[in-house]
Amino acid sequence: MWLSRHSALLCGRFGFFSRLRLCAVSCSQTAAGAPPQRDCFAVKSSTDTQTDSSRNPQNRVMPSNVEIKAKVSDLTQFAEKAAQLSQSEGTIIRQQDTFFNCSQGRLKLRDFMNESGQLIFYERPDTDGPKLSRYSISPTNDPPSLRAVLSDALGVKGEVRKERRLFMIGQTRVHLDTVEGLGNYMELEVVMRPEQTVEEGQRVAEDLMEKLGVSKESLVTGAYMDLLLKGRKET
């Protein structure tokens, strides 16, 4: 069951890899249009509506979020502010992300360490300002087997292990991450509604950034994988 589904996925039967043209299996994606320049932070946009992908998968529009990532100097203080704003203590999630070689964008397999996971392709500019990042996600109930297939097909770029504490504040996912080999970070992901513009998402993110005490100086660029690879080169 798993093999037929994921073999079909790799061959493009479901339109995922055929549209994204993933590396050797054909990897490439139309670059997302950059939003207007702002002085601070990051974007994964979800302003697009979904088409009927079951009837015409080639026309399916990729979802997106407005995203900000920053270094956290005081883990306890940030967690207290996030808990107060979300009126919850957050949800702890363990994640192991395996990044695969890809000529454009990023392809990773997220293993939740509980026999479930997600294969995620995304593309976003590496800047510390607002950036639009489109993505596609395919769930799996056998991450180790899928990791083996993709490792053989594409090769592994690296791995990221982290413990994530997830808070929901309005339409925003707030991640407080402790990343192995990097330290403590936070991410804001504004889950955009179809009628919202990227600018509206940026305003939501900016407001939360202020309430959580995130300074512009603490903003970072790139994925955790990029930061880990950069650190290895500098040592």
Side-chain angles (χ1 to χ4, degrees):
M1 182 75 178
W2 175 91
L3 182 59
S4 62
R5 181 172 183 271
H6 284 287
S7 295
L9 181 134
L10 282 171
C11 295
R13 178 173 162 191
F14 296 110
F16 177 75
F17 283 115
S18 62
R19 189 188 71 252
L20 300 179
R21 296 178 299 166
L22 262 177
C23 295
V25 194
S26 72
C27 173
S28 173
Q29 181 202 3
T30 303
Q37 292 297 315
R38 302 285 288 274
D39 290 333
C40 61
F41 55 141
V43 177
K44 252 186 194 172
S45 174
S46 191
T47 56
D48 304 308
T49 56
Q50 294 287 333
T51 61
D52 189 344
S53 57
S54 61
R55 287 184 294 181
N56 193 354
Q58 295 297 329
N59 291 333
R60 187 178 68 83
V61 179
M62 296 173 72
S64 47
N65 298 323
V66 171
E67 182 182 290
I68 298 172
K69 182 181 292 180
K71 182 77 174 173
V72 173
S73 57
D74 191 326
L75 192 72
T76 301
Q77 185 181 65
F78 185 92
E80 288 175 352
K81 289 181 179 179
Q84 188 175 42
L85 289 169
S86 66
Q87 296 185 333
S88 76
E89 293 304 311
T91 302
I92 301 295
I93 308 170
R94 291 177 59 224
Q95 298 177 350
Q96 178 177 319
D97 293 344
T98 303
F99 284 76
F100 302 96
N101 295 320
C102 192
S103 62
Q104 184 172 342
R106 296 181 176 92
L107 177 68
K108 67 182 177 184
L109 175 64
R110 173 159 291 169
D111 189 340
F112 294 111
M113 316 303 289
N114 61 0
E115 298 185 352
S116 70
Q118 297 173 331
L119 182 62
I120 305 168
F121 173 84
Y122 67 101
E123 188 174 45
R124 65 170 180 243
D126 287 331
T127 64
D128 60 0
K131 48 186 177 282
L132 186 65
S133 172
R134 300 181 189 277
Y135 60 93
S136 287
I137 299 177
S138 178
T140 177
N141 59 6
D142 192 352
S145 294
L146 183 55
R147 183 186 298 110
V149 172
L150 290 172
S151 297
D152 289 343
L154 306 175
V156 173
K157 185 176 181 180
E159 291 186 340
V160 177
R161 296 179 179 86
K162 62 180 178 288
E163 182 176 274
R164 167 164 289 177
R165 190 170 171 183
L166 168 65
F167 302 89
M168 289 300 304
I169 302 176
Q171 69 185 98
T172 305
R173 295 171 59 92
V174 177
H175 302 152
L176 180 54
D177 295 336
T178 298
V179 186
E180 187 176 309
L182 283 180
N184 301 319
Y185 290 80
M186 76 94 216
E187 288 183 344
L188 303 183
E189 289 185 357
V190 181
V191 183
M192 302 288 287
R193 293 188 288 268
E195 72 277 7
Q196 286 183 303
T197 64
V198 173
E199 290 74 22
E200 288 176 309
Q202 290 174 359
R203 286 194 291 272
V204 171
E206 287 172 350
D207 180 62
L208 252 186
M209 181 178 164
E210 183 176 350
K211 290 177 179 176
L212 290 168
V214 179
S215 67
K216 294 180 181 180
E217 292 72 27
S218 65
L219 298 173
V220 297
T221 64
Y224 293 135
M225 186 73 260
D226 301 326
L227 297 176
L228 284 169
L229 292 175
K230 182 180 177 182
R232 289 172 193 167
K233 289 180 181 178
E234 293 175 350
T235 57

